[in-house]
Amino acid sequence: EDQVTQSPEALRLQEGESSSLNCSYTVSGLRGLFWYRQDPGKGPEFLFTLYSAGEEKEKERLKATLTKKESFLHITAPKPEDSATYLCAVSRTGGSYIPTFGRGTSLIVHP
Amino acid sequence: GAGVSQSPSNKVTEKGKDVELRCDPISGHTALYWYRQSLGQGLEFLIYFQGNSAPDKSGLPSDRFSAERTGGSVSTLTIQRTQQEDSAVYLCASSLGIEGTQYFGPGTRLLVL
């Protein structure tokens, strides 16, 4: 069974204090790993898809990296508007393409 | 272009009543998904459609839940005889194909009293 574990569950940062969110996964064969951002009262917003170990993608202050066992979402010099819940999901090769989601990391960035 | 839309945005109902939740996917997206998100829980997969057919209904929690999709576009999730444990946010997503990236709607917040 595919598993996705995100840590920490919650993270408080001061504005400008860089940090990383972790997504550990277990999947028989990785088709893709997805990062989403979810603001309170809204649906998840797509950020990145990573397909193979060593791959990196960047968007503004966010950089996602992937190894064979985990992915990191690095947040550089965060701003209060980066406050949200960040969700990780994995999809496996063969069979169903339905992704398995983690429970998310709730990030609060204080001014 | 327009994203995924869902209606209603909020629904309050009494235990035992039936509810219908609607999803309008992104134009041209052939795959459509329904998820449920409860407070503090991850996204729980319910059902997906490829075109108008539903190859995977494994996530539907009980026979009170059903969904249909017509014309390869709009989908309706129906919950019959609602229970308090059905209270959650119901999210819809669509993708260009089954392998495509899923784009989510804003969700319907359902409260069963």
Side-chain angles (χ1 to χ4, degrees):
Chain A
E1 183 180 335
D2 303 340
Q3 289 192 332
V4 178
T5 303
Q6 293 189 247
S7 61
E9 290 185 10
L11 181 62
R12 292 178 180 268
L13 299 173
Q14 288 297 127
E15 184 172 3
E17 179 187 3
S18 300
S19 188
S20 296
L21 313 182
N22 177 264
C23 172
S24 297
Y25 65 89
T26 303
V27 66
S28 56
L30 182 69
R31 183 183 72 82
L33 184 142
F34 311 92
W35 281 100
Y36 288 85
R37 168 193 171 128
Q38 186 173 23
D39 292 296
K42 296 188 177 181
E45 173 190 347
F46 171 73
L47 293 174
F48 306 109
T49 306
L50 302 168
Y51 295 101
S52 57
E55 188 175 0
E56 298 183 352
K57 288 192 176 174
E58 290 189 60
K59 180 181 180 180
E60 296 180 354
R61 295 176 292 283
L62 300 177
K63 182 168 81 172
T65 62
L66 180 66
T67 73
K68 289 186 178 181
K69 295 183 178 180
E70 57 192 349
S71 176
F72 292 94
L73 185 64
H74 306 278
I75 304 178
T76 302
K79 298 182 177 182
E81 53 261 42
D82 294 323
S83 299
T85 294
Y86 290 85
L87 299 173
C88 172
V90 297
S91 174
R92 60 179 162 86
T93 56
S96 169
Y97 291 105
I98 305 302
T100 298
F101 281 83
R103 294 193 174 190
T105 293
S106 174
L107 173 66
I108 297 176
V109 181
H110 296 284
Chain B
V4 178
S5 60
Q6 294 186 244
S7 61
S9 54
N10 293 281
K11 177 72 176 179
V12 180
T13 190
E14 293 179 349
K15 177 181 172 182
K17 295 286 180 86
D18 298 352
V19 295
E20 282 190 356
L21 312 180
R22 176 187 167 107
C23 173
D24 272 283
I26 294 172
S27 178
H29 279 195
T30 59
L32 184 148
Y33 314 78
W34 284 99
Y35 293 88
R36 181 167 69 175
Q37 187 175 37
S38 303
L39 195 63
Q41 303 296 313
L43 269 71
E44 176 189 5
F45 166 75
L46 299 178
I47 187 171
Y48 90 92
F49 290 88
Q50 179 67 357
N52 291 333
S53 64
D56 189 347
K57 302 180 182 179
S58 62
L60 293 177
S62 74
D63 58 8
R64 296 186 295 105
F65 288 72
S66 63
E68 65 175 13
R69 189 179 187 195
T70 55
S73 182
V74 171
S75 176
T76 302
L77 177 68
T78 301
I79 309 174
Q80 296 179 310
R81 305 181 302 282
T82 52
Q83 303 295 311
Q84 289 182 332
E85 60 262 29
D86 299 334
S87 297
V89 176
Y90 289 82
L91 290 162
C92 174
S94 70
S95 61
L96 200 55
I98 188 62
E99 297 186 42
T101 297
Q102 295 186 17
Y103 295 89
F104 285 82
T108 293
R109 282 142 198 84
L110 174 67
L111 178 61
V112 182
L113 300 176

